[in-house]
Amino acid sequence: MLIRVAARNALRNGRRTAYTVLAVAFGLLCLIVFQALKVGLHAEMVRSTVELDAGLVQIHGVGYEPNLASLKPLPEPEKVVKGLINAGATGWALRTRVPALLLAKEKSSTVLLTGIDPEREPSVTFVSARITKGAYPDRSGGVLLPENLAQPLGVGVGDEVSLMAQDASGRAVVRKFRIGGLYRTALQSFDRTHLFIEGGALREFLRAENVYTEAVAVNEPGDEATLAAQLRASLDPAKFQVRTWKEAAPDVDQLIRLNDSTMGLLIAIVFAIVAMGIVNTMSMAVFERFREVGVMLALGARPRTVFTLIVLESTAIGVLSAALGTLLGVAACGYLAKYGVDLTSLTSSNEYFATSHILKARLTLPDLAWENGLTILTASLAGVLPAAKAVRLEVVEALGHV
Amino acid sequence: MSEPLLAFSGVTRTFGAGQGEVRALGPLTLTIGEGEFITVAGPSGSGKTTMLNLAGLLDKPSTGEVFLKGAATSPLSGEGRARLRREAIGFVFQEANLLPVLTALENVEFSLLLRGEGERGRRERAFSALELVGVADQADKFPAAMSGGQRQRVAIARAIVSGPSLVIADEPTASLDRETGAGVVALLKRINRDSGTTFLLASHDTMVIDAASRVILLRDGRVVV
């Protein structure tokens, strides 16, 4: 019955309640949309990081560093592969990666040369889908060059370039390779440095038969911790270092956490404003009903009953607002999930958007649940102040209120 | 002699402090027995409402003591006084003061809800009370859709539904026309006679004064008669 009374009280001054509900619903709408866009943004950033090169989890030999000039072999690659299969990785590949110098005509450029398994590598990166000319590396030994590098060097598919690197024994080796294909990921920093070649050809060039430097694995986003834990359990930590994408690309992880903090601040500000609006509405409502409160207290109502009634009324406003805000928020997110926001002009040179420049909203049920919970909780808490004021009323004074 | 239902012993009630202090009532010493139908009469400002507020445990005396069923009420906490009001006292206000968002039936039920009664029994008892006061046909109406007399009858039903020992009514006919007022007074009198409930009313209305088994006349906060 108290809920009925609270709900009817909430609807008593329809216009005032409607304005409050609209204001709170707008706050929730903003929260739902911003949160969904943020989740979409983060998903895109993670996807770009993971699918461009890093994978969800990387395995190297202990002591490996990306800028080592000499080969740092991955020990027991068969054991690593077995560990990856057992851990349930949906995609994995072994790579041999060394820094090299690319010489073309009179020009040169330092690059990162990666020997890949053409069968497995497409399961961990999307580079194979970004071929603009020629073909993905195969057993014929052609090198895949980024367009952004080929152009200034004045070379193209079918031309020869020389690559210089340190072989397995640390000696400098140079060999000519034919350019088999060109690619473009739209991420200039990546495109300027990454060259790909069939792994066997690279290892033969480096005189490093069966030498791999890293294994990369992918799974569902968010599975990195589980996958890494399973791998760490099966691989000797004295020999292997297992890193998640968060450890391999801490800048992305930090940026995501920074975004979360900023969003938290924004939520606090929006909901402080929302709470003040409800406090104002409820204070007005309670002030108008001092006499009714007095009657209830005279009839023997416990202060906590009056308190509950007012907080319930405030909660009812929260529930109405949550329903409207959710309706509008879900509709807006539906649109933004389908069409997205084109951020090409803002992200074309940004490594966090290598896979797509369209930011799409990603609404999740847990997000929708906490957003609604927060709205209703804010509304309930906003009722506490007016309710506390009401229960402190002297009965006689309240009964005499006009 | 049986214990009085309500007793005032040297009760005063003052408002303000220092030079601005005003004594609204007392010193007042009197007893009210069970089953009495008492009208407190007197001009405006004579202390009628103050006396009723003290009798209904809505207010505390400045000095002296109010006893209900022989027990001093001053030491009681706010919650203790609220409990006594729920269990032993019914109120009828000048303008009915029904909760506007509740129907007639729900208004009466509300009083039982405060006593913690279950929904099923609550509904039946509330409807019986409305039948008793003759407005059962208004059960589903909201106060705004009822006449002043009907509202006051619903307020009476709300006051008596829990079977209180004492019903306090402050100017129960003041906002009603004479004929409707007469009906309300007759109703109160009938309840008093049939159930033995004690009534303490404040009124200028001669009809209410005439109906009383005892009249307490107040002037300047003191009992004159």
Side-chain angles (χ1 to χ4, degrees):
Chain A
M1 188 173 189
L2 283 182
I3 293 172
R4 207 181 317 152
V5 177
R8 286 183 197 166
N9 270 333
L11 298 173
R12 205 158 144 187
N13 191 326
R15 186 176 294 184
R16 184 172 61 202
T17 301
Y19 286 143
T20 309
V21 165
L22 278 175
V24 179
F26 180 72
L28 177 59
L29 164 71
C30 291
L31 175 58
I32 290 172
V33 171
F34 290 160
Q35 176 67 14
L37 284 174
K38 190 197 77 175
V39 171
L41 173 76
H42 290 176
E44 194 54 49
M45 287 166 69
V46 172
R47 196 172 145 228
S48 293
T49 305
V50 169
E51 294 183 14
L52 177 63
D53 188 64
L56 210 56
V57 171
Q58 299 178 354
I59 304 165
H60 296 98
V62 164
Y64 171 86
E65 283 175 36
N67 55 356
L68 275 180
S70 57
L71 277 173
K72 176 69 188 172
L74 175 70
E76 305 173 62
E78 301 81 11
K79 191 176 180 182
V80 171
V81 168
K82 200 175 164 191
L84 287 167
I85 293 168
N86 289 341
T90 53
W92 57 267
L94 292 171
R95 293 171 177 162
T96 307
R97 178 169 279 179
V98 285
L101 183 67
L102 174 69
L103 305 156
K105 298 175 185 169
E106 298 85 29
K107 296 175 182 174
S108 65
S109 180
T110 51
V111 296
L112 208 52
L113 183 59
T114 306
I116 56 165
D117 176 347
E119 304 291 321
R120 300 220 61 89
E121 187 70 12
S123 72
V124 293
T125 79
F126 59 80
V127 173
S128 62
R130 299 292 171 91
I131 305 296
T132 54
K133 214 168 183 184
Y136 200 53
D138 56 19
R139 304 276 175 205
S140 64
V143 182
L144 180 68
L145 245 70
E147 256 187 15
N148 285 355
L149 190 59
Q151 229 161 18
L153 292 177
V155 293
V157 173
D159 291 343
E160 281 193 336
V161 289
S162 296
L163 285 165
M164 187 169 85
Q166 280 188 17
D167 69 6
S169 56
R171 279 181 300 201
V173 285
V174 185
R175 182 181 291 182
K176 283 187 176 171
F177 289 89
R178 184 180 52 79
I179 299 173
L182 299 177
Y183 76 89
R184 176 194 286 270
T185 66
L187 180 61
Q188 288 186 14
S189 60
F190 184 86
D191 286 4
R192 270 197 295 267
T193 52
H194 284 72
L195 265 67
F196 298 93
I197 185 170
E198 195 275 322
L202 177 62
R203 285 186 288 278
E204 194 254 311
F205 165 50
L206 299 175
R207 296 178 197 125
E209 200 179 344
N210 289 327
V211 171
Y212 300 90
T213 58
E214 67 185 44
V216 175
V218 293
N219 217 336
E220 290 301 313
D223 283 354
E224 63 271 8
T226 316
L227 188 59
Q230 281 175 291
L231 290 168
R232 281 176 187 136
S234 65
L235 299 172
D236 182 357
K239 293 180 183 171
F240 300 95
Q241 61 181 41
V242 178
R243 295 189 306 168
T244 65
W245 68 265
K246 288 182 181 177
E247 292 157 313
D251 55 328
V252 181
D253 187 41
Q254 272 185 350
L255 197 57
I256 285 174
R257 283 190 279 134
L258 180 68
N259 271 349
D260 284 337
S261 305
T262 310
M263 184 72 179
L265 190 65
L266 189 71
I267 291 168
I269 293 169
V270 168
F271 276 78
I273 295 168
V274 162
M276 282 188 271
I278 302 175
V279 167
N280 183 47
T281 301
M282 289 309 298
S283 296
M284 288 288 290
V286 169
F287 180 76
E288 286 169 3
R289 291 184 217 141
F290 272 177
R291 198 183 177 91
E292 285 170 35
V293 171
V295 170
M296 284 191 256
L297 293 172
L299 294 176
R302 293 175 180 87
R304 71 164 179 270
T305 305
V306 175
F307 186 91
T308 305
L309 194 61
I310 292 166
V311 171
L312 277 176
E313 182 177 340
S314 189
T315 307
I317 290 176
V319 170
L320 282 174
S321 308
L324 180 64
T326 300
L327 203 70
L328 297 174
V330 168
C333 287
Y335 177 85
L336 289 171
K338 190 172 180 186
Y339 300 106
V341 183
D342 190 348
L343 298 179
T344 307
S345 62
L346 300 171
T347 60
S348 55
S349 298
N350 193 310
E351 63 181 301
Y352 307 125
F353 292 87
T355 51
S356 168
H357 301 300
I358 306 291
L359 174 58
K360 292 190 170 179
R362 194 180 273 202
L363 183 61
T364 67
L365 266 181
D367 277 346
L368 205 54
W370 76 252
E371 287 155 353
N372 271 276
L374 182 65
T375 304
I376 295 169
L377 180 69
T378 304
S380 302
L381 291 177
V384 167
L385 204 66
K389 190 175 178 183
V391 299
R392 282 200 304 268
L393 282 176
E394 288 295 330
V395 187
V396 173
E397 239 176 83
L399 281 171
H401 190 266
V402 182
Chain B
M1 188 181 166
S2 67
E3 197 171 50
L5 176 68
L6 188 70
F8 286 73
S9 175
V11 169
T12 65
R13 181 66 174 104
T14 54
F15 295 98
Q19 288 194 328
E21 187 178 274
V22 176
R23 178 176 287 184
L25 187 72
L28 180 67
T29 299
L30 60 84
T31 57
I32 294 169
E34 286 193 13
E36 284 199 88
F37 192 100
I38 297 174
T39 300
V40 183
S44 293
S46 60
K48 300 189 295 294
T49 300
T50 304
M51 182 185 164
L52 260 58
N53 286 341
L54 291 166
L57 309 187
L58 299 177
D59 198 6
K60 281 183 170 183
S62 302
T63 58
E65 185 60 86
V66 177
F67 296 89
L68 184 68
K69 294 181 178 174
T73 57
S74 291
L76 293 173
S77 63
E79 172 58 31
R81 298 158 75 79
R83 183 178 54 77
L84 269 184
R85 287 200 298 274
R86 277 196 301 276
E87 292 175 356
I89 306 172
F91 290 91
V92 179
F93 304 98
Q94 185 176 330
E95 288 170 14
N97 279 343
L98 299 177
L99 298 176
V101 292
L102 299 183
T103 63
L105 185 68
E106 289 167 342
N107 260 288
V108 181
E109 257 192 276
F110 191 76
S111 192
L112 297 170
L113 171 83
L114 297 178
R115 289 168 60 99
E117 292 204 17
E119 188 171 357
R120 191 181 170 82
R122 211 163 68 199
R123 227 140 228 266
E124 285 168 8
R125 284 184 69 183
F127 194 78
S128 299
L130 286 177
E131 278 182 323
L132 184 71
V133 300
V135 285
D137 57 335
Q138 306 293 313
D140 295 328
K141 285 190 181 168
F142 287 93
M146 290 186 275
S147 69
Q150 287 168 334
R151 281 200 289 269
Q152 200 59 300
R153 283 172 182 267
V154 175
I156 293 167
R158 181 177 66 183
I160 62 164
V161 68
S162 57
S165 312
L166 173 68
V167 171
I168 289 173
D170 192 3
E171 304 278 9
T173 60
S175 56
L176 305 176
D177 61 60
R178 187 144 190 85
E179 192 183 341
T180 311
V184 166
V185 173
L187 174 64
L188 295 176
K189 194 73 188 155
R190 176 162 59 86
I191 296 167
N192 168 249
R193 191 181 59 235
D194 295 348
S195 65
T197 307
T198 305
F199 278 79
L200 180 62
L201 299 85
S203 183
H204 306 95
D205 191 338
T206 50
M207 275 192 310
V208 181
I209 294 168
D210 289 345
S213 58
R214 178 154 62 115
V215 176
I216 297 168
L217 183 61
L218 288 180
R219 184 174 295 149
D220 298 329
R222 291 167 185 267
V223 177
V224 179
V225 180

